[in-house]
Structures are given as structure tokens and as C-alpha cells.
Amino acid sequence: MRIARFTTGEDPLYGVVTGGLDEFGQPDEDSVVVALAGDPLYVGVKPLEQEYRLADVRLLAPVLPRSKVVGIGRNYAAHAAELGNELPTEPLMFLKPNTSVIGPNDSIFLPPQSAEVHYEGELALVIGRICRDVPAEKATDVIHGYTIANDVTARDLQRRDGHFTRAKGFDSFCPLGPWIETDLDPQDFADGRQLQTFLNGDVVQDGTTADLVFDIPSLIAHVSSSMTLLPGDVILTGTPAGVGPMKDGDEVEISIAGLGTLTNKVATR
């Protein structure tokens, strides 16, 4: 099922989105969202009687990580090569603060410290329960679902600092959405799901999750061997080749087959 976090102008709600997706990852016109009695990560999926037309609500980031967003760098060979980097021999981890998370149609703000801010379309997974030292073969037991992410990066600061913290940690640098899909399996992505990024309507990234260097179970095993993962934590799985700069006024859309489309505008802070 597709679980969204949304507002009708009042307090945020959680809901289950019904209806299909068209070829561009957009929901059907008659899609509705059925409200739930709280965050399903903590209270389960308990539908209420209220339902709303999806077109009449504002979608929010489908999860607000209480703890952390874990990024994985250079997890597509072609992307590592385009930036002149060698492939890592084990997953390359970094952290993004939860204050970097925004939702669909929120603005990505360009910070004054950087003159080279890049988009990075990515598959993201959401952790469903407290876990540590998860074997790869048990990874599905701890996954709540999957969503789409933009691992926004100030590339010039990344080169200057020699690490990822500042370059990837600005407010608004982790758009997530449009919802969490819970009924998929890591094998669905190992078999290959098309991931495309559009900049002002033009395709700039066109990859497949089959090209992940380290697959989803391996990532969960590696990350959880170093740190406890909490419900709502997000793991970004890496970006395919084609990353590039964004400027004030641009629109970035990231689509993953079967997951939908995440859209954000770019503005100057």
C-alpha cells in the first residue's frame, strides 16, 4: 500500500492512497487518500472513515526521521566514474540531518555558501523497527517501505571540505516523497526499476536499480553493523550517473517505476 503524510490545512495526517499511477508516475485523477488513526509506524494501519480527494490535499514528507538519514555514496559505478572516483570496496556511508528533510512540492533552497548545487535522484528505504546487526537475509524484516529521495549536494563544498557533512546537510537538501510504498521487496529493485530525473522537463538521469553496486540487504546489514536503526530512519541507496547543477527557478522531478514522482522547485534562500 502507499502511505502518505498530508494536510488539509490543519494538523498533519497519515493516510493510504488508492488509485493507480500513469506512465509518468502521477496518480489517477480519481485517487483518494483514506485517513489513518496515527502514524502506522507506531500504531499500525488503522483506517478511519474520513477520505479526501488526493488532488485536494497537500502531501508532506512521508516520514520525518526522528533519528537520522543515512546516505550511501558511489553506489552506481557510472556515477562514481563521472566524478572521477573509484568504487568503494564496502558501502560508503554519510549522514544527513533530519532537518534537511522536506516534502513534495517544497522548495529546495540554494545556500549562499555554494555556487554548485546538484540534484541526485535516489531510491530510499524507510526502516520499520528498532534493529542492530541485521543479517542481509533478514533485511526485509526491518523495512517499512520505499520512497523517492533527492540527495541534494553542494558539490563545490564537498570538494573543498573533503567530506560530505556540510555539502549534503543544508536545510531542504533531502526531499522525500510522494509517499511510502510498503508492498515491494528488495528483489523488485535487484531485478531493475527505472529511475529517472528530469530537470525542467528534460531527462538528465536515466538508470536502473539493477545497477546498484551494493544491494538493499547488503546496505542494511552494513549500516546496522555500525549503528542502531530506529523506526522512521531513512537509508538513501545512491544515485545513477547524470548528476548536475540546479539554479534558481528550476524544477526537478524524480520518478521511479512503481513508486511515483517527487517534484520540487529550486529557489534562492
Side-chain angles (χ1 to χ4, degrees), residues 17 98 125 265:
V17 178
N98 55 13
L125 64 94
K265 293 279 193 180

Side-chain angles (χ1 to χ4, degrees), residues 26 103-106 108 175 177-178 251-254 261-265:
Q26 299 295 339
N105 300 309
D106 289 339
I108 299 167
E251 181 178 81
V252 182
E253 297 174 282
I254 302 167
T261 299
L262 171 65
T263 303
N264 296 93
K265 293 279 193 180

Side-chain angles (χ1 to χ4, degrees), residues 7 16 30 50 64 69 75 84 89 107-108 141 146 156 172 174 185 188 202 207 211 219 231 239 245 249 254 267:
T7 180
V16 174
D30 58 353
Q50 299 102 302
L64 286 179
V69 177
N75 203 26
T89 57
S107 292
I108 299 167
D141 296 346
Y146 302 88
D156 49 354
S172 80
C174 190
D185 182 90
D188 291 305
D202 296 327
D211 291 337
L219 294 180
T239 193
I254 302 167

Side-chain angles (χ1 to χ4, degrees), residues 127-207:
I127 296 297
R129 64 178 178 85
I130 298 174
C131 57
R132 176 72 197 269
D133 293 323
V134 181
E137 61 270 19
K138 297 289 187 180
T140 54
D141 296 346
V142 305
I143 298 172
H144 175 56
Y146 302 88
T147 190
I148 301 170
N150 189 346
D151 179 20
V152 181
T153 304
R155 195 69 68 197
D156 49 354
L157 300 185
Q158 185 182 28
R159 290 192 296 265
R160 186 186 311 165
D161 293 348
H163 57 76
F164 297 178
T165 303
R166 180 167 65 139
K168 293 177 176 283
F170 285 96
D171 291 357
S172 80
F173 270 29
C174 190
L176 297 175
W179 40 65
I180 296 170
E181 174 58 72
T182 64
D183 292 337
L184 295 174
D185 182 90
Q187 189 59 45
D188 291 305
F189 299 104
D191 291 340
R193 293 258 174 164
Q194 187 178 33
L195 188 163
Q196 292 183 305
T197 300
F198 302 82
L199 184 66
N200 301 322
D202 296 327
V203 177
V204 287
Q205 290 185 286
D206 191 354

Side-chain angles (χ1 to χ4, degrees), residues 43-57:
V43 301
V45 178
K46 299 180 179 179
L48 301 175
E49 293 183 359
Q50 299 102 302
E51 67 176 47
Y52 309 86
R53 290 183 67 245
L54 187 61
D56 294 337
V57 307

Side-chain angles (χ1 to χ4, degrees), residues 80-96:
E82 73 178 343
L83 296 182
N85 296 310
E86 298 290 332
L87 281 179
T89 57
E90 60 182 4
L92 175 62
M93 294 191 299
F94 58 90
L95 296 177
K96 292 173 83 86

